[in-house]
Each structure stands twice: as C-alpha cells, then as structure tokens.
Amino acid sequence: MPAPVIISVKNLVKSYGDFTAVKGISFEVYEGEIFGLLGPNGAGKSTTLEIIETLRQKTSGEVLVNGFDLDKNPEEIKKIIGVQLQTSGFYPNLNLTEIIHLFIGLYQSETDPIALLKKVNLEDKAKSKFKELSGGQKQRFSIATTLINKPKIIFLDEPTTGLDPQARRNLWDLIKEIRDNGTTVIITTHYMDEAEILCDRVAIVDSGEVIAINTPNELIDNLVATGFEKEKEVKKANLEDVFINLTGKEWRAEI
Ligand code: ADP
Ligand code: MG
C-alpha cells in the first residue's frame, strides 16, 4: 500500500505581472519520502516551495498540506512544517546555542539545544558563532533549525549548493536520517547524482511546468528503454570517487 499523500498541489499558477513563472503544476508528495524538485534555474522551484510554505501568494490552484487547505488554514500548515532559512537570515554574532534558544522561544518548543546540535554533529560548536562555521557546518546548522518545532515536513531549497564533496555526503546522510525518523523532506537540487542517491521520487520542472514525475530508477529505466546509450563507456569510478577516496568521507572537524 502506498504511503498517504501529505502534500497535494493541483493546477498551481503563479504570475509576476505579465510573466507566469508557474504554469498550472500538479504533484503529490507521500508521507515519509524525500521528494526532489529538479529543474534549471528559473524553472519555478523556489516559487512553488515558498507558496506551499505559506511565504508567497499563489495566483490560483489548490494546495493541501497534511489535509489543511492553504487558503483556509495557513496557520495550521505553519505549525507542522520546517523551513530552511537562507543562512544569511541568521544572526552572525550569536553562538549556535543562542540562535536555537531564539527559535525555541518563537515556536514555544521544548527542544534541548545540545541534543539538537548532536543530531547534526555540531555539539562541539555549541559556543561558536554562526559566522565562524564552515559552509557545510552552516548548512547542517540551518537544517537543524528546521527541526526545532518537530515538523512533519521540512523544505530544503538547494541545501548542498556550493559544498565540497564530503560536506555534500554528510548532508545526504543527515537528510536520510531525518527521513528515516519519519519526517517528509522536499528538496531542490541541481546535482543529479545527488537526486539519484537521495530522492525517493522526483519531479522535473521546466519553464514552470512539470515534465516528469517518478522514482529516479524508473526515469532512468524509461530512458534506457527508448534505446538511449551513453556516448562514453562508464568506468567503475569517477574523479569524485578518487577525491573522496583520497581525502576521506568521515565527518571532519572543518566541514
Ligand atoms: P528556481 O527556484 O527554479 O530557480 P524561481 O522560482 O526562483 O526559480 O523563479 C522562477 C521565475 O520567476 C524566474 O524567471 C524568476 O526570475 C521569476 N521570479 C521569481 N521571483 C520573482 C519576483 N518576486 N518578481 C518577479 N519575477 C520573479
Ligand atoms: Mg530557486
């Protein structure tokens, strides 16, 4: 039996003046999956996410989140979602514990800051200022902040952009762990290797339209079934494998 639908988007349209960025897209996200929104820059991914997150007004269409209608119960939706803020939205001069306390106050949550930092392997950085963290650590911390209100769904918009290969892998492990603990994850990424490894299902969006939705595996099999072949024989490893092999994949203090 398939998991229940936790997000349903029907005929979603968003226009900015004369320009229609999202052109009537529909998709469903199942409870407990990692769902990827893939597509080139400007495809409408962030717009779509921000509408579901109640942060942007839609032009038309219907959005249901955990059974709540976006038009009627946005406050209920806000309570059960975690949204990753742009990391520039943090106070650079507060330490991590202080920032978590701010969020705990906002959400009236009973989260233990140290336990939360432990979850993302940042317990050693509890007294460090946000601005002192590396890129990967900043992303891990910002994902941690999405968990403070114990959400049913978290939204991650390009969480791995600009990270080095190890930091990216660490985030994959973290995101899978969050999914395995029962939280539904919606993520956008430009990295197809990442989507293939991480996402249970993906929607490919182009110019404001969904052009494919499926598991990565079935999308690949469908392409192969058309007779598609890669031009180059694929080796058993690539340069990224060499890099990871040489520099190590374990958590490192500096990532
Ligand atoms: P993606 O996240 O897939 O890169 P976006 O959702 O950010 O795409 O943007 C989709 C399109 O909408 C782009 O062409 C972008 O320039 C346009 N757009 C986004 N936000 C605004 C805005 N506030 N005003 C006008 N156009 C916008
Ligand atoms: Mg975007």
Side-chain angles (χ1 to χ4, degrees):
M1 209 177 73
V5 170
I6 193 160
I7 296 177
S8 156
V9 173
K10 279 193 197 131
N11 302 318
L12 182 68
V13 174
K14 174 66 183 181
S15 301
Y16 297 107
D18 292 344
F19 173 70
T20 304
V22 176
K23 299 173 183 153
I25 69 174
S26 302
F27 61 89
E28 288 178 336
V29 178
Y30 303 141
E31 203 171 314
E33 71 176 347
I34 300 176
F35 185 83
L37 273 184
L38 313 180
N41 282 325
K45 305 178 296 295
S46 296
T47 300
T48 301
L49 288 194
E50 287 170 19
I51 290 169
I52 303 171
E53 292 162 0
T54 77
L55 300 176
R56 216 178 265 242
Q57 290 282 330
K58 61 182 163 62
T59 303
S60 64
E62 187 184 291
V63 177
L64 292 175
V65 181
N66 201 35
F68 297 116
D69 187 327
L70 177 68
D71 293 325
K72 296 182 193 137
N73 291 104
E75 295 307 317
E76 293 300 324
I77 294 177
K78 281 182 201 164
K79 281 185 206 160
I80 56 151
I81 64 171
V83 174
Q84 190 183 17
L85 293 178
Q86 293 284 314
T87 50
S88 58
F90 290 124
Y91 293 94
N93 287 313
L94 295 186
N95 74 39
L96 303 192
T97 313
E98 290 166 337
I99 297 173
I100 293 172
H101 276 298
L102 266 185
F103 277 92
I104 288 174
L106 281 177
Y107 290 127
Q108 301 180 346
S109 158
E110 283 171 15
T111 301
D112 168 21
I114 297 302
L116 184 68
L117 289 173
K118 239 185 192 142
K119 235 185 232 177
V120 297
N121 219 22
L122 286 174
E123 66 270 32
D124 298 347
K125 299 284 171 185
K127 298 289 173 215
S128 301
K129 290 178 179 170
F130 180 75
K131 67 178 181 190
E132 295 162 356
L133 302 180
S134 72
Q137 290 168 341
K138 282 181 175 154
Q139 284 299 335
R140 292 213 300 280
F141 180 70
S142 90
I143 290 177
T145 64
T146 70
L147 301 174
I148 289 173
N149 62 336
K150 303 190 170 66
K152 286 178 81 83
I153 311 165
I154 61 168
F155 294 83
L156 308 175
D157 198 352
E158 293 188 34
T160 63
T161 294
L163 297 185
D164 74 36
Q166 268 104 354
R168 235 158 46 99
R169 277 162 178 71
N170 289 342
L171 273 203
W172 298 348
D173 291 345
L174 174 61
I175 293 166
K176 283 183 181 167
E177 211 176 287
I178 291 169
R179 188 258 330 258
D180 292 344
N181 286 328
T183 306
T184 306
V185 179
I186 302 193
I187 184 171
T188 70
T189 177
H190 288 296
Y191 303 113
M192 293 306 125
D193 61 330
E194 172 170 305
E196 193 179 332
I197 289 170
L198 197 55
C199 297
D200 297 300
R201 292 189 313 131
V202 298
I204 300 179
V205 187
D206 193 20
S207 304
E209 294 180 274
V210 171
I211 53 175
I213 302 187
N214 213 328
T215 62
N217 214 12
E218 288 201 36
L219 287 170
I220 295 165
D221 286 349
N222 291 346
L223 177 63
V224 171
T226 66
F228 178 92
E229 276 181 43
K230 269 191 197 288
E231 279 178 20
K232 208 169 91 178
E233 186 63 33
V234 180
K235 292 187 187 173
K236 285 187 178 166
N238 60 23
L239 188 57
E240 183 148 323
D241 297 320
V242 173
F243 179 89
I244 293 289
N245 196 264
L246 289 173
T247 60
K249 177 186 174 308
E250 298 76 43
W251 296 100
R252 291 180 311 179
E254 68 273 25
I255 50 180

